[in-house]
Structures are given as C-alpha cells and as structure tokens.
C-alpha cells in the first residue's frame, strides 16, 4: 500500500471484446411488447447494429468503448473483429473498419490486438448442414479462408500506420467458430496462417453448437480443431462453456488458453464453464468482457470464482492471486503480448475496500475504486476520467445524439 491509500496491481488484459455490442447494454432485457428478453431479443438487436455501422460511426463508438475500458482498469484489449465490409459485402477501401478500431485504441491509449476473424458460412442447422450467409453476415465474410488470408496479409501495415510507432496496436487472427468456418477453410488456415500469430475461436458456447458440429463432422468443436491441426498452444478458445471430458483433456494437453467472459455468459444465460477442470488439465485461463454488459476487470475476476462456487458448492476454487493471473498473465499470453509495466492503482479505503487485505482486493474492489491507470508509461485515466477524452459517458451521449439510428 502506498501513501495515497492505493494498491498497485498489474494492468488487467481484456482478451475478448466485440466493441459494437456495447450498443446493446440495457436494451435487450425486455421484448417490444414487454416481458422478459430472450437470446433472440439480443441477437436481433445485435444484427441490427451490425447492419448500420459505418467506419465513421464505428470509430466513434469504439473510442467510447476503449475509453470506458481504460478508466475501468483494463490496459489492453483483444478485439474479436468480424464487421469488415460495407453492406452487401463490398470491401471498404484500405481496411477502413480496421483502421477505425486502431485509431480508437490510440485515442484511448489502450493496447489493442485486432483479432481479425475469418467468417465463411452463416452457420450450421440442427442437422449439421451449412446455412447461407444472411444479408447482415455478408459484411462479415471474405468468401473463404484464402481471401481472408490475403486481406490479413495487408492489414498489418495499415495498423502499423495508425499506430505511428507508439507500440499500442498489433494484429492477431480469429476463426469465428466451427459453425461459420468449414473444414476446407480450417485446413487453409492451418497451412497459411503465420504460426506466430495468436489465433482465437468461439468454442462450445451453447449446446446447440456442439450438437450441430457432431451432426456435421462427427466431432465436438474442440476435437474438430484438433483434427485439423489448429488446437495448439497459440490457440485461445473463447467461452468453452459446454465441454466433454475429452475436450478438456485436448485443450489442456495442447496448452491452449481458454478466455472466459463470466458476466456475458451470465447475461446471455450461456452457462458456467469448467474453469477449474481446465486449469487443472493444463489450459491457461484469461478473461474478457465480450459484449460489455459490464466493463469491470474486478467483476470478471469475481464472477469467475463465484461461478465456480455456484456450480461446485465449494469456496476458494481460485485464489485471489490466481484471479489476478487470469486477468493479467493469461490475457498477455492469449494476445501474444510481452510483459510490460502497465498498472492500475486501486483505492484501499473506499466504501467497498476499507478493511480488505491488499491481496484480496480482486474479491472486493470494482472499477469505481480505480484511482489511476498507466499504459505504456503514460497515465491514461484518473478517478474515472480519461486523460485525453474526458468522461466516457459523455462520449456515449454524444455518439447517440449524433447517430440517432442507435438511440
């Protein structure tokens, strides 16, 4: 503890984000005629947002999202990005959407690894048959992995140009899911993607995904990735909620990272994944905010442990130190980032934290207790206010005022 009544912690890393999903916060919990919101309420509004965003509006929104992350204590983010093209699937000139995200991260002073996603099919039906892309999904797809790899090859230079030598913006890759990327394209990715590039994938988020994959390929999603040579220690499996014992062993034996997003998984009623079993099997753990129902590293840490307690009936499934390691070291590894001096100063005497032992602050603090955030040697936020952008709430209000189509 220092003289200012704060405790320094290593800067948390948000390993899974969809910036545009922030539009949905507080808007999907009831139907148009009242009542409770369902997963389909959420999905319909998510696709409506994806249909309407432009490079300009996405840049404005992402700047607010990344600023919110920064003032809340996140120091780096893996942006799982699939909103690539204009409506109808026509490519923008010179990576316009990706450049907008890079500029947003630079403005917010947060480290960004852009996880550019391959997206080929519209999904799998219950019988395991490929579903054609719908109108919105045309914006996500390059038509196949070879074309995606070609676009990816030119993206690094564009991001470096936006970064301008600051060392904040990097490039990673993603397979949206085994529902959206068929085996021939998995093979193309295994053969053509630089093995040094971090690779992420949505994996076994819902039982229906597993059932469709089994129907199509006779294998679970984890087993299918293993079959095609993609289940390695550079892979990060996002969610991994509904796994078999064999899936857990495959992920552990590969030394893969599993990125859990506990507040999103609760918000979408996806379930509670086998985090303790995965860690014991040898998989790394990282944390993400996914759809940003909550942007708070402490609540993600706490929700990981609380989920374990709820499903096991046992306290202390993860120690506070293990939760910090998931929020920091696991995220760095997932995104292929080296160690750095990024840090957050957390108030130790607030209404929530007074009396807490410093090592146990992950179980009591919230983002409201973040006094200061330092990224790349620069203080980017203090007391909930961004050093260069001001109050992120004002950024959201301005965005909604200027873009009423999202209000």
């Amino acid at each position: 503890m220092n003289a200012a009544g704060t405790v320094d912690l290593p800067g948390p890393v948000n390993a899974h984000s969809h910036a545009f999903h922030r539009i949905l916060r507080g808007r999907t919990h009831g139907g148009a005629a009242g009542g409770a919101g369902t997963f389909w309420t959420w999905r319909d509004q998510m696709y409506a947002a994806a249909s309407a965003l432009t490079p300009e509006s996405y840049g404005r929104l992402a700047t607010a999202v990344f600023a919110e992350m920064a003032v809340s204590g996140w120091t780096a983010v893996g942006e799982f990005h699939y909103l690539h093209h204009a409506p109808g699937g026509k490519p923008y000139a010179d990576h316009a959407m990706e450049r907008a995200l890079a500029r947003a991260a630079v403005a917010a002073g947060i480290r960004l690894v852009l996880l550019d996603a391959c997206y080929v099919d519209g999904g799998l039906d219950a019988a395991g048959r490929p579903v054609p892309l719908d109108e919105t999904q045309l914006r996500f797809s390059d038509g196949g992995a070879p074309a995606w790899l070609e676009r990816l090859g030119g993206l690094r230079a564009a991001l470096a140009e936006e970064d301008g030598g600051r060392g904040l913006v990097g490039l990673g890759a993603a397979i949206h899911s085994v529902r959206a990327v068929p085996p021939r394209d998995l093979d193309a990715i295994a053969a053509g993607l630089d093995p040094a590039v971090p690779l992420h994938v949505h994996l076994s988020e819902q039982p229906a995904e597993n059932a469709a994959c089994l129907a199509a390929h006779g294998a679970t999603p984890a087993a299918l990735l293993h079959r095609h040579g993609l289940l390695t220690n550079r892979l990060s499996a996002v969610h991994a909620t509904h796994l078999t014992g064999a899936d857990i062993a495959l992920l552990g034996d590969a030394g893969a990272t599993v990125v859990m997003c506990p507040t999103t998984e609760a918000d979408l009623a996806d379930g509670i994944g086998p985090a303790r079993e995965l860690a014991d099997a040898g998989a790394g753990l990282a944390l993400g905010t996914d759809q940003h129902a909550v942007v708070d590293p402490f609540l993600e840490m706490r929700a990981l442990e609380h989920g374990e307690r709820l499903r096991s009936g046992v306290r202390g499934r993860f120690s506070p130190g293990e939760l910090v390691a998931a929020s920091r070291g696991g995220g760095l590894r997932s995104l292929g980032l080296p160690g750095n001096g990024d840090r957050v100063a957390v108030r130790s005497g607030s209404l929530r934290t007074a009396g807490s032992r410093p090592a146990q602050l992950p179980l009591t603090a919230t983002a409201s207790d973040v006094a200061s955030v330092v990224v790349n040697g620069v203080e980017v936020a203090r007391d909930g206010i961004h050093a260069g952008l001001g109050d992120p709430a004002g950024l959201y209000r301005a965005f909604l005022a200027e873009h009423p189509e999202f209000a």
Side-chain angles (χ1 to χ4, degrees):
M1 188 181 305
N2 61 40
T6 60
V7 173
D8 280 351
L9 295 176
V13 174
N14 183 351
H16 188 70
S17 161
H18 300 295
F20 80 91
H21 288 193
R22 172 58 179 83
I23 293 172
L24 308 178
R25 186 188 295 174
R27 302 173 70 87
T28 64
H29 302 282
T38 67
F39 172 80
W40 301 107
T41 308
W42 178 89
R43 187 181 186 273
D44 288 347
Q45 293 190 39
M46 185 270 283
Y47 269 62
S51 297
L53 283 163
T54 66
E56 183 277 332
S57 61
Y58 201 8
R60 292 288 303 276
L61 175 63
T63 299
V65 174
F66 294 154
E68 182 182 5
M69 289 183 196
V71 303
S72 300
W74 296 107
T75 58
V77 57
E79 179 63 25
F80 195 112
H81 170 63
Y82 52 84
L83 187 48
H84 300 125
H85 304 306
K90 181 179 179 180
Y92 285 110
D94 196 20
H95 309 287
M97 291 296 253
E98 294 75 25
R99 284 180 178 272
L101 289 168
R103 286 194 293 271
V106 169
I110 194 170
R111 297 186 193 275
L112 168 70
V113 176
L114 186 72
L115 300 164
D116 195 89
C118 182
Y119 200 113
V120 180
D121 291 331
L124 296 170
D125 66 18
R129 295 181 296 254
V131 175
L133 296 165
D134 67 21
E135 184 175 353
T136 299
Q137 290 169 329
L138 291 171
R139 301 194 70 178
F140 308 163
S141 180
D142 294 292
W148 170 74
L149 285 164
E150 182 178 356
R151 185 174 56 77
L152 195 70
L155 183 52
R156 190 180 299 277
L159 297 181
E161 187 176 314
E162 297 296 342
D163 180 64
R166 298 174 181 86
L168 289 177
V169 181
L171 178 64
I175 295 164
H176 179 272
S177 61
V178 299
R179 294 176 290 109
V181 181
R184 67 178 183 277
D185 293 283
L186 297 178
D187 286 337
I189 292 168
L193 183 65
D194 181 348
V197 172
L199 179 64
H200 286 223
V201 60
H202 293 126
L203 187 85
S204 293
E205 184 173 2
Q206 295 181 343
E209 174 189 343
N210 292 348
C213 188
L214 282 164
H217 309 299
T220 64
L224 185 66
L225 293 174
H226 177 68
R227 179 187 297 172
H228 291 275
L230 290 165
L231 190 51
T232 69
N233 62 3
R234 66 95 170 254
L235 185 77
S236 289
V238 182
H239 304 304
T241 307
H242 301 282
L243 301 176
T244 67
D247 293 337
I248 293 170
L250 284 172
L251 289 160
D253 289 346
T257 299
V258 174
V259 183
M260 293 191 159
C261 308
T263 62
T264 284
E265 288 145 11
D267 183 77
L268 295 181
D270 284 338
I272 300 170
R276 185 69 263 172
E277 290 89 336
L278 284 160
D280 290 344
L285 294 181
L287 294 171
T289 61
D290 194 356
Q291 57 138 343
H292 318 304
V294 176
V295 174
D296 188 323
F298 300 101
L299 293 186
E300 298 296 346
M301 285 186 255
R302 192 131 76 241
L304 180 65
E305 167 63 13
H306 285 176
E308 282 291 307
R309 294 181 185 187
L310 287 168
R311 76 181 187 90
S312 70
V314 177
R315 290 184 92 230
R317 297 279 282 178
F318 290 100
S319 70
E322 288 176 306
L323 298 176
V324 171
S327 76
R328 171 66 174 174
L332 291 174
R333 180 173 180 265
S334 173
L335 300 181
L337 292 172
N340 53 59
D342 299 348
R343 65 187 188 276
V344 297
V346 182
R347 293 186 191 84
S348 56
S350 76
L351 181 64
R352 291 159 294 279
T353 62
S356 298
R357 292 189 170 93
Q360 296 189 28
L361 284 172
L363 278 303
T364 60
T366 72
S368 296
D369 300 306
V370 172
S372 174
V373 181
V374 174
V375 179
N376 210 27
V378 177
E379 186 180 63
V380 297
R382 176 171 287 276
D383 298 329
I385 302 298
H386 193 276
L389 297 170
D391 183 356
L395 299 179
Y396 284 125
R397 289 193 296 268
F399 169 79
L400 292 169
E402 293 174 22
H403 293 281
E405 65 270 29
F406 301 113

